[in-house]
């Protein structure tokens, strides 16, 4: 592991524990037997994979690559929540098709993050507190995330000047928040409210490596 200063080193260590706890919980979950629940669950699992990969890249000192994964991590979470609460049955069907050229073309015509968030804001079934957090995260971070994702000026500049520990610290805490919200999504997609109990405990036990967020709702 590349040497990194405190308190970032401690945050990385605690984040590894957080991610292991989340993954241990998620491995026990099975989505409710309905297509909307299953595809939203799968989108959440993808977000978890991106988030954990970003953490291990930070641990290894590959910060630009880690930051590049934070956009698909966030986007996969937004898509999962959109699939659960706002996507039409038509879109559920389109995004559940086996991968073919035709299915890919249809999927590529789907809404982007901004439109998904707009639809979630308009949906009476969507968790308003979480949607608000996601919208705030996008408003603050989206341009920078896109730049890292596409090899833009943020990535080029930071590769020359280096990353301040505070920048990495703050980004990792935000990524951890996306992880925690994703754990909530996949737990809800089981259709069993008791699966939210460990998620609430995670928010309390790992508050030191999360930014201040609203306590997860039970729905």
């Amino acid at each position: 592991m590349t040497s990194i200063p405190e308190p970032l080193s401690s945050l990385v260590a605690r984040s590894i524990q957080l991610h292991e706890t989340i993954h241990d919980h998620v491995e026990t979950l099975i989505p409710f037997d309905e297509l909307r629940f299953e595809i939203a669950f799968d989108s959440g699992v993808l977000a978890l994979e991106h988030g954990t990969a970003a953490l291990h890249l930070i641990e290894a000192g590959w910060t630009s690559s880690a930051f590049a994964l934070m956009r698909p991590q966030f986007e996969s979470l937004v898509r999962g929540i959109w699939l659960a609460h706002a996507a039409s049955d038509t879109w559920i069907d389109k995004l559940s098709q086996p991968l073919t050229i035709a299915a890919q073309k249809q999927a590529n015509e789907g809404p982007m993050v901004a439109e998904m968030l707009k639809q979630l804001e308009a949906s009476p079934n969507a968790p308003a507190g979480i949607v608000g957090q996601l919208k705030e995260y996008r408003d603050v971070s989206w341009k920078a995330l896109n730049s890292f994702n596409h090899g833009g000026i943020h990535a080029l500049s930071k590769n020359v000047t280096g990353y301040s520990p505070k920048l990495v610290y703050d980004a990792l805490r935000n990524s951890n928040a996306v992880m925690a919200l994703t754990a909530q999504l996949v737990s809800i997609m089981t259709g069993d409210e008791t699966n939210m109990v460990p998620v609430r405990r995670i928010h309390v036990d790992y508050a030191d490596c999360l930014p201040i967020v609203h306590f997860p709702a039970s729905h």
Side-chain angles (χ1 to χ4, degrees):
M1 174 177 172
T2 304
S3 177
I4 52 178
E6 292 283 355
L8 179 56
S9 179
S10 294
L11 177 63
V12 168
R14 282 289 287 160
S15 298
I16 290 172
Q17 294 174 356
L18 166 66
H19 284 229
E20 288 176 348
T21 301
I22 288 174
H23 284 288
D24 286 346
H25 170 59
V26 172
E27 285 177 2
T28 70
L29 304 179
I30 299 174
F32 184 73
D33 187 17
E34 184 177 304
L35 192 55
R36 181 180 296 273
F37 286 75
E38 291 170 350
I39 191 173
F41 185 97
D42 289 343
S43 189
V45 169
L46 182 59
L48 295 175
E49 180 179 325
H50 289 320
T52 298
L55 167 61
H56 288 301
L57 286 167
I58 288 173
E59 182 188 20
W62 299 100
T63 310
S64 295
S65 297
F67 280 22
L69 279 174
M70 290 179 186
R71 173 188 158 175
Q73 178 199 8
F74 173 74
E75 192 163 7
S76 295
L77 170 60
V78 173
R79 190 172 302 279
I81 295 175
W82 173 76
L83 288 164
H85 298 291
S88 67
D89 290 341
T90 300
W91 272 114
I92 296 295
D93 182 62
K94 285 181 179 181
L95 292 171
S96 302
Q97 297 299 315
L99 183 58
T100 63
I101 293 175
Q104 177 180 312
K105 183 177 184 299
Q106 287 184 331
N108 288 342
E109 296 169 353
M112 303 301 286
V113 165
E115 177 60 26
M116 287 189 286
L117 288 172
K118 183 178 178 180
Q119 291 182 24
L120 282 166
E121 282 187 295
S123 171
N125 299 320
I130 291 176
V131 174
Q133 290 173 46
L134 295 174
K135 193 168 181 295
E136 181 180 359
Y137 181 90
R138 182 188 182 280
D139 290 344
V140 171
S141 305
W142 195 242
K143 287 184 180 179
L145 291 178
N146 284 339
S147 183
F148 282 107
N149 201 247
H150 298 298
I153 189 171
H154 283 80
L156 293 172
S157 175
K158 292 301 181 183
N159 266 3
V160 174
T161 63
Y163 291 83
S164 71
K166 184 180 186 307
L167 175 63
V168 182
Y169 184 94
D170 290 344
L172 181 53
R173 281 168 66 93
N174 286 334
S175 180
N176 287 343
V178 175
M179 288 289 294
L181 290 174
T182 306
Q184 179 176 349
L185 168 67
V186 296
S187 297
I188 292 170
M189 290 303 98
T190 66
D192 183 351
E193 281 198 16
T194 63
N195 287 320
M196 273 297 297
V197 174
V199 177
R200 294 192 186 93
R201 188 162 57 245
I202 285 169
H203 277 75
V204 174
D205 292 347
Y206 292 95
D208 58 308
C209 53
L210 297 168
I212 298 174
V213 296
H214 299 296
F215 194 84
S218 60
H219 62 281

